[in-house]
Amino acid sequence: LLEAVSAAVGCDVADDAHCNYRMADYYQREVGLAPPRCGEHRDFGTATLIFASDAPGLQVFVDDTWQSIPPVPEGSAVLLFGWCTTIRSNGRIPAALHRVTDATAVGCIVPRRTSAVLFIAPKDVETPLEPVVLEGEARQFISGVKVGQLRGKMARKWRHREGTLNAEDRQLEEEEIRVTKMVTQDDVVSRTLAFRTAPPIS
């Protein structure tokens, strides 16, 4: 997989790849509790593999609409790309905006959804996120940004959205939002990395 991504991006994404394996359990709950289960976002890293149960709920934003991803066969996974791949590919490989919503209720109960998620991302904070700009392309992202300059801010945005920041970090985050208006992880990329004279990436 990483060899294929490297070929598509134009640089070696496997050299510093680190895997983080997590289990996600969206337990059954009564109808009426506020969806979505996991709010809309794009992942930070190189790629994400989602091995899910047969319960629906995963949605990806494609062509200006939310598309439900049907359950995949046993032994298969859903592949989503993250911001690191988008930046390195100069936008040729988009980071997928996705979320997890409630499945159709059975009676008054929304069914449980479980998934095993493999996140692949650069490990070293000094790893450069250098865009590979092909001939004829407009540059979409600036040069010289390293993983550590982006990962910390994006992780804090995620924890703020999920309500898991400690008091000190929450104060820092709220002050940053007040001063910079950077609310989401996408705002961090736009303000930190976007090449201002290039057309926006759809």
Side-chain angles (χ1 to χ4, degrees), residues 24-28 50 52-53 55-58 100-101 111-115:
D25 186 353
Y26 302 102
Y27 49 85
Q28 70 177 27
I50 303 173
S53 64
L58 178 63
V100 177
T101 64
R112 181 186 187 190
R113 172 187 168 87
T114 60
S115 58

Side-chain angles (χ1 to χ4, degrees), residues 9-118:
V9 169
C11 68
D12 185 2
V13 304
D15 182 57
D16 188 35
H18 175 71
C19 294
N20 183 11
Y21 187 69
R22 300 179 190 172
M23 299 295 294
D25 186 353
Y26 302 102
Y27 49 85
Q28 70 177 27
R29 62 181 184 181
E30 294 181 2
V31 173
L33 297 179
R37 298 282 192 136
C38 181
E40 62 185 63
H41 65 284
R42 293 177 173 90
D43 292 337
F44 163 76
T46 302
T48 304
L49 289 169
I50 303 173
F51 302 84
S53 64
D54 58 2
L58 178 63
Q59 295 184 334
V60 178
F61 197 68
V62 180
D63 296 331
D64 296 322
T65 186
W66 286 105
Q67 305 281 348
S68 294
I69 305 301
V72 298
E74 184 176 350
S76 301
V78 175
L79 170 64
L80 303 176
F81 292 105
W83 271 119
C84 288
T85 295
T86 296
I87 295 163
R88 285 167 156 170
S89 69
N90 196 43
R92 294 186 301 278
I93 303 175
L97 183 63
H98 58 288
R99 66 184 185 184
V100 177
T101 64
D102 280 339
T104 302
V106 179
C108 296
I109 300 297
V110 175
R112 181 186 187 190
R113 172 187 168 87
T114 60
S115 58
V117 187
L118 182 68

